Amino acid sequence: MRKGVMRPGHIQIRVLDVEEALKHYRDLIGLIEVERDSQGRVYLKGWTEVDKFSVVLREADEPGMDFVGYKVLDNQVLERLHAELIGYGCNVEEIPAGELNGCGRRIRFDSPTGHMFEIYAEKEQTGKWGVGNVNPEAWPRGLKGMKATRFDHCLLYGPNIKGTLDLFRDVLGFELAEQVLDPEGTRIAQFLTVGMKAHDVAFIEHPEPGKFHHASFILDTWEDVLRAADLISMEDVSLDIGPTRHGLTHGKTIYFFDPSGNRSEVFCDGDYHYPDHEPVTWQAEQLGKAIFYHDRVLNDRFLTVLT
Amino acid sequence: MPDQSSHQIRVINRNQSFECAEDQVLLVGMERHSAAAISVGCRGGGCGVCKIRILAGEYETKRMSKAHISEAEQQRGYALACRVFPRTDLEIESDHYRAPESSYQQAAVTLSAVKQ
C-alpha cells in the first residue's frame, strides 16, 4: 500500500576527486551542474528534472554512497513517516532545512542492509533545464555527452535484504516488483518501486553492509545507449559491461565506472509495475540470463566489484 | 634500446611480467598487453580488487580508497594497481584482495555444481 513516498529525489556519492568526477557526471553522462556549497559539494541534475538537484558529489577518502533521498507528498506525510520510522526501530536523525542547498528538512534513517536513506517533502523547484513549462520544446540545445534525462534508481548490496524489504514495504509503501529466488526460496535480489517503474531502488544480498553497486540514469532510446557506448570508448572510460539487455526489468543498458570506481549505468525502457501486479520472479538457476539476457553467463566483475 | 620512460613490471606470484609506461598506471599497462597477472575491477581506486604489494622499485600513486589501503598498508608497499605509476622497474605481488562471498557467488557455485 502506498504511503505517500513519491519518487527517488537525490543521491550523495563520495568521490576521490571532485573535478575528475565532474568530467564523468557532467561532461560524459551529461548532467547539468547546478552549484557548489560551502562544503565543496557539487550539485547536479538531469535536464528533465524539475527539482533543483538530484546528484550530490562529495570528495572523500573512500568512494561509495552516503545516502539516497526520497521525496514525499507533503510535510504531513513527512511527520507521519518520521514517527513510524522511530516506532519501527530505525536509527532516525533530523537534518535541518538548508543542510543541502535548496532542500527542506530531511529525516534520515538506516536500514538492515547498512545503508542510509532520507525522506523529505520540500526542495526548491527550478524547473526543467533549458525548456519552459508552457508550450515546451522537445529538448534543450547545449546538452553534453550522453544527455541523461534524470537520475532513476540505485542498486545497493548488504546483508538482510529481507529486513530492508520489510522496512521499505511496511513503513514506506514500496512494492516488490521483481526478485531472484534461490532453490530454497530465499530471496537474493529484490527490485522495489513506489510508482510504475520496474525499480526505484534494488538490493542484492551480500555479507558486507552499506555497499554501493551503481547509480542509474535514464536515456530515451536504445540508439542513445549505443551512442553512450561510443562515448565511453572515445573517452577511454573504464567499461564494465554492455551495451546489452537485462533479464531482470528487461532494461537495455551499459555499465561503466566513474574515475573513483563508483559504477554508473545508463539505460532505457524496461518493464512496468502496477500495485495489483504479482512480483516477477527469476530463479537463481537462471541467474546468468536474469542479469545479462544475451550473454546468459554470470559476470564475476559485475557481481562483486563494489564501492 | 628499451624506451627510457617504460618499465618492466614483474608479478612474482603469477610468474609474469609486462611493460608499463611512466604515464600509465600498472593495471592499464597490463591490460594493454593483454596480460592477466592482476585482477581487474573498477580501474578507479575504489573497489580494491586490484590490490597488490610492491616489493621492490620506485613508484607514485594517485589517491586510493582508504577502505582498501590504509595509511599503514600504504607504507608497507600495498597499493591498488589502477593508481600506481612506475618510476623504475618494479617487483610486485598481486592477488591481495579478499572478496567477501556474496549470495550471488554462492548461487554461481551451486549452479556450476549442478551443471557438472
Side-chain angles (χ1 to χ4, degrees), chain A residues 181-187 284-285, chain B residues 110:
Chain A
L181 299 179
D182 74 8
E184 286 78 49
T186 306
R187 194 180 304 106
E285 302 92 296
Chain B
T110 311

Side-chain angles (χ1 to χ4, degrees), chain A residues 16 20 59 61-63 189 204-208 236 238-239 257 259-261 285 287 298 301 303-306, chain B residues 32 40-47 49 62-67 83 97 100-105 107-108 111:
Chain A
L16 295 170
E20 281 186 1
E59 195 164 294
D61 275 338
E62 185 185 331
I204 285 179
E205 185 76 26
H206 181 76
E208 275 177 297
D236 204 17
S238 176
L239 174 71
F257 294 100
S260 305
E285 302 92 296
L287 194 56
L298 288 168
R301 183 168 62 207
L303 295 178
T304 58
V305 169
L306 306 168
Chain B
R32 295 250 157 104
V40 179
C42 69
R43 307 184 185 89
C47 75
V49 166
K62 276 182 79 170
R63 196 172 189 181
M64 299 174 280
S65 174
K66 282 271 192 304
R83 309 293 271 186
Y97 177 66
E101 215 168 78
S102 74
S103 299
Y104 258 169
Q105 285 168 300
L111 184 62

Side-chain angles (χ1 to χ4, degrees), chain A residues 1-22:
Chain A
M1 188 185 71
R2 300 283 157 82
K3 302 282 289 288
V5 177
M6 273 196 296
R7 55 178 155 87
H10 55 238
I11 182 168
Q12 183 165 302
I13 298 170
R14 297 188 300 271
V15 297
L16 295 170
D17 183 312
V18 157
E19 297 310 320
E20 281 186 1
L22 270 172

Side-chain angles (χ1 to χ4, degrees), chain A:
Chain A
M1 188 185 71
R2 300 283 157 82
K3 302 282 289 288
V5 177
M6 273 196 296
R7 55 178 155 87
H10 55 238
I11 182 168
Q12 183 165 302
I13 298 170
R14 297 188 300 271
V15 297
L16 295 170
D17 183 312
V18 157
E19 297 310 320
E20 281 186 1
L22 270 172
K23 286 187 184 134
H24 180 88
Y25 291 96
R26 181 192 59 200
D27 301 342
L28 179 67
I29 295 178
L31 301 180
I32 309 301
E33 182 179 352
V34 176
E35 68 180 34
R36 295 182 191 221
D37 69 15
S38 56
Q39 297 178 40
R41 292 180 297 186
V42 182
Y43 297 54
L44 305 105
K45 66 186 270 181
W47 73 266
T48 67
E49 295 180 88
V50 295
D51 283 357
K52 179 173 178 172
F53 65 88
S54 60
V55 173
V56 180
L57 303 176
R58 180 173 77 87
E59 195 164 294
D61 275 338
E62 185 185 331
M65 183 209 77
D66 280 333
F67 52 80
V68 190
Y70 298 90
K71 195 173 190 184
V72 304
L73 280 170
D74 53 33
N75 278 309
Q76 228 178 334
V77 170
L78 191 67
E79 282 318 309
R80 194 181 66 234
L81 293 178
H82 185 188
E84 285 189 35
L85 286 164
I86 293 170
Y88 195 77
C90 296
N91 293 302
V92 178
E93 186 188 356
E94 283 190 66
I95 315 285
E99 196 278 335
L100 280 169
N101 286 357
C103 189
R105 192 167 66 99
R106 291 134 65 203
I107 305 301
R108 185 178 290 175
F109 55 98
D110 62 350
S111 70
T113 44
H115 301 94
M116 301 304 287
F117 297 97
E118 304 181 339
I119 48 173
Y120 64 95
E122 293 173 349
K123 190 185 279 180
E124 190 184 333
Q125 292 209 320
T126 49
K128 291 180 185 178
W129 182 84
V131 295
N133 212 23
V134 177
N135 307 327
E137 300 298 352
W139 41 264
R141 289 182 175 83
L143 293 170
K144 291 180 182 172
M146 300 172 184
K147 306 180 184 182
T149 60
R150 58 177 159 81
F151 166 58
D152 187 85
H153 67 269
C154 58
L155 169 58
L156 307 171
Y157 273 46
N160 192 6
I161 61 169
K162 183 187 182 306
T164 294
L165 172 61
D166 291 345
L167 166 67
F168 270 68
R169 187 177 50 199
D170 300 345
V171 181
L172 300 171
F174 283 64
E175 287 155 14
L176 179 64
E178 305 211 5
Q179 61 182 347
V180 178
L181 299 179
D182 74 8
E184 286 78 49
T186 306
R187 194 180 304 106
I188 58 175
Q190 59 197 24
F191 292 66
L192 314 184
T193 184
V194 277
M196 271 187 72
K197 290 159 56 191
H199 46 358
D200 285 310
V201 64
F203 298 91
I204 285 179
E205 185 76 26
H206 181 76
E208 275 177 297
K211 300 303 278 186
F212 178 48
H213 187 274
H214 72 263
S216 184
F217 303 91
I218 199 159
L219 306 182
D220 288 334
T221 67
W222 170 235
E223 186 72 24
D224 290 332
V225 177
L226 187 67
R227 193 177 158 277
D230 295 338
L231 285 165
I232 287 166
S233 282
M234 285 180 205
E235 300 295 326
D236 204 17
V237 168
S238 176
L239 174 71
D240 190 20
I241 193 163
T244 183
R245 184 199 282 278
H246 287 300
L248 284 150
T249 77
H250 295 123
K252 299 157 201 160
T253 177
I254 185 164
Y255 288 89
F256 50 107
F257 294 100
D258 82 8
S260 305
N262 296 302
R263 190 186 279 96
S264 302
E265 176 189 31
V266 291
F267 80 108
C268 70
D269 301 332
D271 300 335
Y272 64 89
H273 178 88
Y274 277 113
D276 63 334
H277 287 189
E278 284 295 311
V280 170
T281 299
W282 281 85
Q283 299 167 309
E285 302 92 296
Q286 292 281 323
L287 194 56
K289 188 173 177 181
I291 298 173
F292 295 116
Y293 188 70
H294 302 139
D295 278 358
R296 286 166 280 143
V297 292
L298 288 168
N299 176 301
D300 192 50
R301 183 168 62 207
F302 184 79
L303 295 178
T304 58
V305 169
L306 306 168
T307 55

